[in-house]
Amino acid sequence: MLSVRIGFSPLNDAALVVLAEALGFYSAEGLDVSLSREANWSNIRDKLSYGLLDAAHVLATLPLARGLWLGPAIGHIIAPMALGANGNSVVISSKLKEVFEGLGASTLLESARALRLVIQHRRAVSEGKVTLAIPFNYSPHHFVLRHWLAAGGIDPDRQVQWVVLPPSRMADHLRDGVIDGFCSGSPWPQMAELNGNGVVLFSDPAFWTLKPEKVLALRGVWAEEHPEAAVALTRALLRAGQWAMDPSHADELALILSREAYVRAPLEAIQAALAPGGAGLILDPQTATFPWISHAKWFIGQFVRWGLTEGIHDFDAIARRVYRPDLWRQAAAPLGLSLPFEDEKDEGGADAPWMLPAAPDPVLMPPNTLFDGGVFRVRRA
């Protein structure tokens, strides 16, 4: 068996990575996997860079940041699959939630406008800026919060203070008044709410019903040296997704995630995040694991929008060098999954289930909408 070192962050959306170990899917694919529970995304990025990890559960933006020459420029990273969709929540202080309710803010757009009024009031009475925590600068969490703030007329660079914290520490900082809110992966937002340290304002599905969040990252050199293992690893995770989609496995899934070696969080918080109305995590290998080039381009567009890179790159080439639908198809075909005909799709604009052209059968996809009605369209010849 080939030995493979895989890093992960203790979050519910690492489910496929830990399930594949707990249920023996790695060994069934001829892989001897050792998992490494990491404290933060910088650790994972750096260990991938220096060859201390072969693969990892990472932010969907992390391999793209490498492709844009942001952060350490050592080694190429590819992403042969997504590890599901959704899974994050935004938590705010109870005091801030009371202000929103007093202003009648009941939608995401209304809450962003209400926050603008809070910011204006604080400035008028010489109070500090609203402070929001994220787990990594180049993260979907950061882009979600910026998009939401901007929709309410807030300048995320001038009117908000940003701090980077490990998700497991965010609730304590919220309780102590150091921050006003945070965005992180579950189950940490649900744990904060259960402990009375804050209130969940919204979760990923309210922002984007089928939001990309984490991917499987492979060190490029390792994937080139072990092409069959790269496909086998992807297939093991797809098999874990097939298992996770069985409703009868819901209780076992939560129990596995709560183990000391994995997420190491109270079962109640994990279950709250996985339950309907929670963080909306989707693990379906058919509808939520394809590495869409359109997802990569949307994220690259956010890097440009927020001044993190300049619009001088060949974004299509970067997206296709990093996201690898070809490897997903190789891994998925033997499992009987349908293979999408295209590598891109419109993001947003589908407020009802829709059919994705694929072989051998079309795929019934969930709704795909953004809260502000925006649509990121694929350019077709």
Side-chain angles (χ1 to χ4, degrees):
M1 284 190 178
L2 179 67
S3 296
V4 186
R5 299 159 297 181
I6 304 177
F8 73 95
S9 181
L11 299 165
N12 282 359
D13 58 26
L16 302 187
V17 172
V18 303
L19 284 174
E21 179 185 64
L23 301 174
F25 293 131
Y26 292 131
S27 57
E29 292 290 342
L31 303 172
D32 179 18
V33 167
S34 57
L35 296 186
S36 177
R37 187 179 187 274
E38 299 294 336
N40 56 59
W41 297 114
S42 296
N43 278 11
I44 291 177
R45 177 198 61 190
D46 294 347
K47 287 186 176 183
L48 277 172
S49 298
Y50 291 98
L52 300 177
L53 294 172
D54 303 308
H57 152 253
V58 302
L59 302 162
T61 47
L62 195 149
L64 296 168
R66 175 64 54 80
L68 292 166
W69 299 97
L70 299 172
I74 300 174
H76 175 50
I77 298 174
I78 65 171
M81 69 176 288
L83 293 173
N86 301 328
N88 294 338
S89 298
V90 173
V91 178
I92 58 174
S93 67
S94 299
K95 181 179 179 181
L96 202 55
K97 183 66 181 297
E98 289 174 1
V99 172
F100 286 3
E101 291 174 346
L103 293 170
S106 59
T107 68
L108 255 63
L109 195 53
E110 289 171 350
S111 66
R113 290 169 178 164
L115 185 60
R116 181 180 61 186
L117 297 177
V118 171
I119 290 171
Q120 291 172 347
H121 172 74
R122 287 194 180 186
R123 185 171 59 224
V125 298
S126 300
E127 290 185 357
K129 290 182 178 180
V130 166
T131 302
L132 300 176
I134 52 175
F136 194 70
N137 275 328
Y138 307 138
S139 70
H141 315 78
H142 200 178
F143 294 154
V144 164
L145 286 175
R146 282 176 169 269
H147 192 130
W148 170 62
L149 294 169
I154 298 168
D155 184 332
D157 290 307
R158 295 170 181 256
Q159 295 179 293
V160 174
Q161 179 73 40
W162 299 96
V163 296
V164 175
L165 296 170
S168 60
R169 298 286 306 281
M170 291 179 178
D172 291 342
H173 284 71
L174 187 64
R175 178 198 62 208
D176 296 339
V178 178
I179 60 175
D180 297 287
F182 67 85
C183 181
S184 83
S186 58
W188 306 111
Q190 289 70 31
M191 189 168 170
E193 189 168 64
L194 288 169
N195 289 340
N197 294 331
V199 181
V200 173
L201 179 64
F202 67 88
S203 295
D204 276 347
F207 173 81
W208 184 350
T209 54
L210 199 61
K211 180 183 148 293
E213 174 54 31
K214 302 296 191 306
V215 297
L216 170 67
L218 303 180
R219 195 162 50 87
V221 171
W222 182 87
E224 291 169 3
E225 293 174 347
H226 307 286
E228 293 183 359
V231 173
L233 176 54
T234 303
R235 186 177 301 117
L237 297 173
L238 292 174
R239 292 178 64 183
Q242 290 178 317
W243 182 92
M245 283 303 295
D246 186 334
S248 69
H249 295 154
D251 290 343
E252 188 176 357
L253 168 61
L255 284 168
I256 290 172
L257 287 172
S258 70
R259 290 179 184 174
E260 186 75 10
Y262 298 147
V263 176
R264 197 185 302 165
L267 181 61
E268 183 183 9
I270 291 173
Q271 290 174 324
L274 295 177
L281 180 62
I282 302 173
L283 299 172
D284 180 8
Q286 184 66 82
T287 62
T289 66
F290 190 78
W292 291 102
I293 298 299
S294 46
H295 284 169
K297 289 182 178 178
W298 188 86
F299 279 127
I300 291 173
Q302 298 302 302
F303 280 101
V304 175
R305 178 184 182 185
W306 302 115
L308 299 173
T309 190
E310 297 180 357
I312 58 175
H313 303 279
D314 184 338
F315 294 149
D316 184 77
I318 291 172
R320 294 181 185 278
R321 185 166 181 250
V322 174
Y323 277 36
R324 294 290 301 275
D326 58 315
L327 297 179
W328 186 95
R329 289 187 175 95
Q330 291 178 49
L335 300 179
L337 297 176
S338 288
L339 313 182
F341 291 147
E342 304 290 341
D343 294 341
E344 300 185 66
K345 58 181 172 62
D346 289 349
E347 302 300 343
D351 56 5
W354 57 285
M355 298 304 297
L356 173 73
D361 301 301
V363 177
L364 180 63
M365 295 289 289
N368 186 1
T369 58
L370 279 85
F371 79 100
D372 59 358
V375 180
F376 181 76
R377 297 200 181 278
V378 174
R379 292 184 180 179
R380 294 184 173 87

